[in-house]
Coordinates of all heavy atoms in Angstrom, one line a residue:
D7 N 0.9 -1.1 0.1 CA 0.0 0.0 0.0 C 0.9 1.3 0.1 O 1.9 1.3 0.7 CB -0.9 0.0 1.2 CG -1.9 -1.0 1.3 OD1 -2.3 -1.6 0.1 OD2 -2.4 -1.4 2.3
P8 N 0.5 2.3 -0.7 CA 1.2 3.6 -0.6 C 1.3 4.2 0.8 O 0.2 3.7 1.6 CB 0.5 4.5 -1.5 CG -0.5 3.6 -2.3 CD -0.7 2.4 -1.5
P9 N 2.2 4.9 1.2 CA 2.2 5.5 2.5 C 1.0 6.4 2.8 O 0.4 6.9 1.7 CB 3.6 6.3 2.5 CG 4.3 5.9 1.2 CD 3.2 5.3 0.3
L10 N 0.7 6.5 4.0 CA -0.5 7.3 4.4 C -0.5 8.8 3.8 O -1.4 9.3 3.2 CB -0.6 7.4 5.9 CG -1.8 8.2 6.4 CD1 -3.1 7.7 5.8 CD2 -1.8 8.1 7.9
D11 N 0.7 9.4 3.8 CA 0.8 10.7 3.3 C 0.4 10.8 1.8 O -0.2 11.6 1.3 CB 2.3 11.2 3.3 CG 2.6 11.6 4.8 OD1 1.9 11.5 5.6 OD2 3.8 12.1 5.0
A12 N 0.9 9.8 1.0 CA 0.5 9.7 -0.4 C -1.0 9.5 -0.7 O -1.5 10.1 -1.5 CB 1.4 8.6 -1.1
R13 N -1.5 8.7 0.3 CA -3.0 8.5 0.1 C -3.8 9.6 0.5 O -4.8 9.9 -0.1 CB -3.4 7.2 0.9 CG -2.8 5.9 0.5 CD -3.3 4.7 1.1 NE -2.7 4.6 2.4 CZ -3.3 4.4 3.6 NH1 -4.6 4.2 3.7 NH2 -2.6 4.4 4.8
I14 N -3.4 10.4 1.4 CA -4.1 11.7 1.8 C -4.0 12.7 0.7 O -5.0 13.2 0.1 CB -3.4 12.2 3.1 CG1 -3.8 11.4 4.3 CG2 -4.0 13.6 3.4 CD1 -3.0 11.8 5.6
D15 N -2.8 12.8 0.2 CA -2.6 13.7 -1.0 C -3.4 13.4 -2.2 O -4.1 14.2 -2.7 CB -1.1 13.8 -1.4 CG -0.8 15.0 -2.2 OD1 -1.1 16.1 -1.9 OD2 -0.1 14.7 -3.2
F16 N -3.5 12.1 -2.5 CA -4.2 11.7 -3.6 C -5.8 11.9 -3.4 O -6.5 12.4 -4.3 CB -4.0 10.1 -3.8 CG -4.8 9.6 -5.0 CD1 -4.3 9.7 -6.3 CD2 -6.0 8.8 -4.8 CE1 -5.2 9.2 -7.3 CE2 -6.8 8.5 -5.9 CZ -6.3 8.6 -7.1
A17 N -6.3 11.5 -2.2 CA -7.7 11.7 -1.7 C -8.1 13.2 -2.0 O -9.2 13.4 -2.4 CB -8.0 11.1 -0.4
I18 N -7.3 14.1 -1.4 CA -7.6 15.6 -1.4 C -7.7 16.0 -2.9 O -8.6 16.7 -3.3 CB -6.5 16.4 -0.5 CG1 -6.9 16.1 0.9 CG2 -6.8 17.9 -1.0 CD1 -5.9 16.7 1.9
H19 N -6.7 15.7 -3.6 CA -6.5 16.3 -5.0 C -7.6 15.7 -6.0 O -7.8 16.2 -7.0 CB -5.1 16.1 -5.5 CG -4.2 17.0 -4.9 ND1 -3.3 16.8 -3.9 CD2 -4.0 18.4 -5.1 CE1 -2.7 17.8 -3.4 NE2 -3.0 18.7 -4.3
N20 N -8.1 14.4 -5.5 CA -9.1 13.8 -6.4 C -10.5 14.1 -6.1 O -11.6 13.4 -6.6 CB -8.7 12.5 -6.6 CG -7.6 12.3 -7.5 OD1 -7.6 12.5 -8.7 ND2 -6.4 11.9 -6.9
N21 N -10.7 15.0 -5.1 CA -12.1 15.3 -4.6 C -12.6 16.5 -5.3 O -11.9 17.6 -5.2 CB -12.0 15.5 -3.0 CG -13.5 15.7 -2.6 OD1 -14.1 16.7 -2.9 ND2 -14.0 14.8 -1.7
P22 N -13.7 16.5 -6.1 CA -14.1 17.6 -6.9 C -14.5 18.9 -6.1 O -14.4 20.0 -6.6 CB -15.4 17.1 -7.5 CG -15.7 15.9 -6.8 CD -14.6 15.3 -6.2
Y23 N -14.8 18.6 -4.8 CA -15.1 19.8 -3.9 C -13.9 20.6 -3.5 O -13.9 21.7 -2.9 CB -15.9 19.4 -2.8 CG -17.2 18.8 -3.1 CD1 -17.5 17.4 -3.0 CD2 -18.4 19.6 -3.7 CE1 -18.7 16.8 -3.4 CE2 -19.5 19.1 -4.0 CZ -19.7 17.7 -3.9 OH -20.9 17.1 -4.2
L24 N -12.7 19.9 -3.6 CA -11.5 20.5 -3.0 C -10.5 20.8 -4.1 O -9.4 21.2 -3.9 CB -10.8 19.5 -2.1 CG -11.8 19.1 -0.9 CD1 -11.1 18.0 -0.1 CD2 -12.1 20.3 -0.1
A25 N -10.9 20.7 -5.4 CA -10.1 21.0 -6.5 C -9.4 22.3 -6.5 O -10.1 23.3 -6.3 CB -10.8 20.9 -7.8
G26 N -8.2 22.4 -6.7 CA -7.5 23.7 -6.6 C -7.1 24.2 -5.3 O -6.4 25.3 -5.1
R27 N -7.6 23.6 -4.2 CA -7.2 24.1 -2.9 C -5.9 23.4 -2.4 O -5.5 22.3 -2.9 CB -8.3 23.5 -1.9 CG -9.7 24.1 -2.3 CD -9.7 25.6 -1.9 NE -11.1 26.1 -2.3 CZ -11.2 27.4 -2.2 NH1 -10.4 28.3 -1.7 NH2 -12.5 27.8 -2.7
R28 N -5.3 24.2 -1.6 CA -3.9 23.7 -1.0 C -4.1 23.4 0.4 O -4.6 24.3 1.2 CB -2.9 24.6 -1.3 CG -2.5 24.8 -2.7 CD -1.2 25.6 -3.0 NE -0.9 25.4 -4.4 CZ 0.1 25.7 -4.8 NH1 1.1 26.2 -4.1 NH2 0.4 25.6 -6.1
F29 N -3.6 22.2 0.8 CA -3.7 21.9 2.3 C -2.2 21.4 2.6 O -1.5 20.9 1.9 CB -4.6 20.7 2.5 CG -6.0 21.0 2.2 CD1 -6.5 20.9 0.9 CD2 -6.9 21.6 3.1 CE1 -7.8 21.1 0.6 CE2 -8.1 21.9 2.9 CZ -8.7 21.7 1.6
Q30 N -1.9 21.6 3.9 CA -0.8 21.1 4.5 C -1.3 20.0 5.6 O -2.2 20.3 6.3 CB 0.1 22.2 5.3 CG 0.6 23.3 4.3 CD -0.4 24.2 4.1 OE1 -1.2 24.8 4.9 NE2 -0.6 24.6 2.7
F31 N -0.6 19.0 5.8 CA -0.9 18.0 6.8 C 0.2 17.3 7.4 O 1.4 17.3 6.7 CB -1.9 17.0 6.3 CG -1.4 16.3 5.0 CD1 -0.7 15.1 5.1 CD2 -1.7 16.8 3.8 CE1 -0.3 14.4 4.0 CE2 -1.2 16.0 2.6 CZ -0.5 14.9 2.7
K32 N 0.2 16.9 8.5 CA 1.2 16.1 9.2 C 0.5 14.8 9.7 O -0.6 14.9 10.2 CB 1.7 16.9 10.4 CG 2.4 18.1 10.0 CD 3.2 18.8 11.2 CE 2.1 19.6 12.0 NZ 2.6 20.4 13.1
T33 N 1.2 13.8 9.6 CA 0.7 12.5 10.1 C 1.5 12.0 11.4 O 2.6 12.2 11.4 CB 0.7 11.4 9.1 OG1 2.0 11.2 8.7 CG2 -0.3 11.8 7.9
D34 N 0.7 11.2 12.2 CA 1.5 10.6 13.4 C 0.5 9.5 13.8 O -0.7 9.7 13.8 CB 1.8 11.7 14.5 CG 0.5 12.3 15.2 OD1 -0.4 11.5 15.5 OD2 0.5 13.5 15.4
E35 N 1.1 8.4 14.3 CA 0.4 7.3 14.8 C -1.1 7.3 14.5 O -2.0 7.5 15.3 CB 0.6 7.2 16.2 CG 2.1 6.9 16.5 CD 2.3 6.5 18.0 OE1 1.3 6.1 18.7 OE2 3.5 6.8 18.4
N36 N -1.6 7.2 13.3 CA -3.0 7.1 12.9 C -3.8 8.4 13.0 O -5.0 8.5 12.7 CB -3.7 6.1 13.7 CG -3.2 4.6 13.4 OD1 -2.5 4.3 12.4 ND2 -3.2 3.9 14.5
G37 N -3.1 9.5 13.3 CA -3.8 10.8 13.3 C -3.2 11.7 12.2 O -2.1 11.5 11.8
V38 N -4.0 12.6 11.9 CA -3.8 13.7 10.9 C -4.0 15.1 11.4 O -5.0 15.4 12.0 CB -4.4 13.5 9.5 CG1 -4.1 14.5 8.6 CG2 -4.1 12.1 9.1
T39 N -3.2 16.0 11.4 CA -3.3 17.4 11.5 C -3.5 18.1 10.1 O -2.5 18.0 9.3 CB -2.2 18.1 12.3 OG1 -2.1 17.4 13.6 CG2 -2.4 19.5 12.6
L40 N -4.5 18.6 9.9 CA -4.9 19.3 8.6 C -5.0 20.8 8.7 O -5.7 21.3 9.6 CB -6.2 18.7 8.0 CG -6.6 19.2 6.6 CD1 -5.6 18.8 5.6 CD2 -8.0 18.7 6.4
E41 N -4.2 21.6 7.8 CA -4.3 22.9 7.7 C -4.4 23.5 6.3 O -4.1 22.8 5.4 CB -3.0 23.5 8.4 CG -2.7 23.2 9.8 CD -1.4 23.7 10.3 OE1 -0.5 24.0 9.6 OE2 -1.2 23.8 11.6
G42 N -5.0 24.7 6.2 CA -5.2 25.3 5.0 C -6.3 26.2 5.0 O -6.7 26.6 6.1
Q43 N -6.8 26.7 3.9 CA -7.8 27.7 3.9 C -8.8 27.3 2.8 O -8.3 26.9 1.7 CB -7.4 29.1 3.7 CG -8.5 30.0 3.7 CD -8.0 31.4 4.1 OE1 -7.0 31.7 4.3 NE2 -8.8 32.4 3.8
V44 N -10.1 27.3 3.0 CA -11.1 27.1 1.9 C -12.1 28.2 2.0 O -12.1 29.0 2.9 CB -11.7 25.7 2.2 CG1 -10.8 24.5 2.2 CG2 -12.4 25.7 3.7
G45 N -13.1 28.1 1.0 CA -14.1 29.2 0.9 C -15.3 29.0 1.8 O -16.1 30.0 2.1
T46 N -15.6 27.7 2.1 CA -16.9 27.4 2.8 C -16.7 26.3 3.9 O -15.7 25.6 3.9 CB -17.9 26.8 1.7 OG1 -17.5 25.6 1.4 CG2 -18.1 27.8 0.6
Y47 N -17.6 26.3 4.8 CA -17.6 25.3 5.8 C -17.8 23.9 5.3 O -17.3 22.9 5.7 CB -18.6 25.6 7.0 CG -18.1 26.8 7.8 CD1 -18.6 28.0 7.6 CD2 -17.2 26.5 8.9 CE1 -18.2 29.1 8.5 CE2 -16.7 27.5 9.6 CZ -17.2 28.7 9.5 OH -16.8 29.8 10.3
F48 N -18.6 23.8 4.2 CA -18.7 22.6 3.5 C -17.4 22.0 3.0 O -17.2 20.8 3.2 CB -19.7 22.7 2.3 CG -19.9 21.5 1.5 CD1 -20.7 20.5 2.0 CD2 -19.4 21.3 0.2 CE1 -20.8 19.3 1.2 CE2 -19.6 20.2 -0.4 CZ -20.2 19.1 0.1
Q49 N -16.6 22.9 2.4 CA -15.3 22.3 1.9 C -14.4 22.0 3.1 O -13.6 21.0 3.1 CB -14.6 23.5 1.1 CG -15.2 23.7 -0.1 CD -14.6 24.8 -0.8 OE1 -14.3 25.9 -0.3 NE2 -14.3 24.8 -2.2
K50 N -14.4 22.7 4.2 CA -13.8 22.3 5.4 C -14.2 20.8 5.9 O -13.4 20.1 6.1 CB -13.9 23.2 6.6 CG -13.3 22.9 7.7 CD -13.4 24.0 8.9 CE -12.7 23.4 10.1 NZ -12.5 24.6 11.2
Q51 N -15.5 20.6 5.9 CA -15.9 19.3 6.3 C -15.6 18.2 5.3 O -15.3 17.1 5.8 CB -17.5 19.4 6.5 CG -18.0 18.1 7.1 CD -17.6 18.0 8.6 OE1 -17.4 18.8 9.2 NE2 -17.7 16.6 8.9

């Protein structure tokens, strides 16, 4: 399986609601810290 970081990046970039958005994330023991900016609360969710 690809590493978790690669799977997160793929999932974000292939979601039509998040197209063109940039996120930063850190992973640790099954957890993810996600940062960035979006236009709506729906996109955040």
